[in-house]
Structure formats: C-alpha cells, structure tokens
Amino acid sequence: MNDALALAEAKIQSFVDGFFWILPNLAIGTIALLVFVLAARLAGRAVRRVAQRRDRSDLGVLLGAFANGGGPTEDWPDEAGKSEPRRLT
C-alpha cells in the first residue's frame, strides 16, 4: 500500500513539474495567437475600408475588379436602367 501511495504521489509531482516546464510555451503560444488574431482583424478592416471607399461592398464585385486589374470605375447604366460599375479605359 505504501508503494502505491508513493507511486501516486510521484506521478502527481511529475504532472505539476511538467506543467511548470510547459508554462512558458503556453504563454508564448497565447501571445502568438493574439498577434495573429489582431493581424487578421486589421487586414479585414483594411479590406472593408477599401471596398467601401470604392463602392464595392459586395465581395464578388471587389474580387472581380481585382481580377480585371482594378483601376478607376464609373457607374454606367445598363439596358434596364441600373447603374453598374465599369472600368474606365
């Protein structure tokens, strides 16, 4: 019985020691995660701001403009009388 108790105590002590050994790695990982989350939010905000400034709040219109080379656009009415952005050439 004494051996089992000593074995359990040694095992718990090794868990506690292991936790304190891994604690700096957990802190570094948490800091890296926060940096990446902050960078993602800033990038999202920048894309949203560019889209709103160019009147392309729809992601499909924005990516289509990037695929066509971006550049200045002007609203041209189509046959139905709706305005749609078209690239100036």
Side-chain angles (χ1 to χ4, degrees):
M1 185 78 169
N2 243 356
D3 289 337
L5 195 56
L7 181 62
E9 186 179 324
K11 193 67 160 174
I12 291 172
Q13 185 62 40
S14 71
F15 288 158
V16 170
D17 290 342
F19 173 74
F20 284 110
W21 273 102
I22 202 169
L23 198 58
N25 293 339
L26 290 173
I28 291 170
T30 302
I31 290 169
L33 176 68
L34 292 175
V35 166
F36 282 113
V37 167
L38 180 65
R41 284 189 179 181
L42 290 174
R45 192 175 296 162
V47 168
R48 233 177 284 118
R49 186 174 291 156
V50 167
Q52 288 174 351
R53 193 177 317 147
R54 294 185 177 190
D55 292 329
R56 296 178 181 155
S57 57
D58 181 18
L59 185 59
V61 174
L62 178 69
L63 292 177
F66 284 152
N68 289 328
T73 61
E74 184 176 314
D75 288 339
W76 293 67
D78 62 0
E79 294 82 23
K82 295 182 185 176
S83 277
E84 64 180 45
R86 295 190 184 185
R87 187 162 186 247
L88 296 174
T89 53

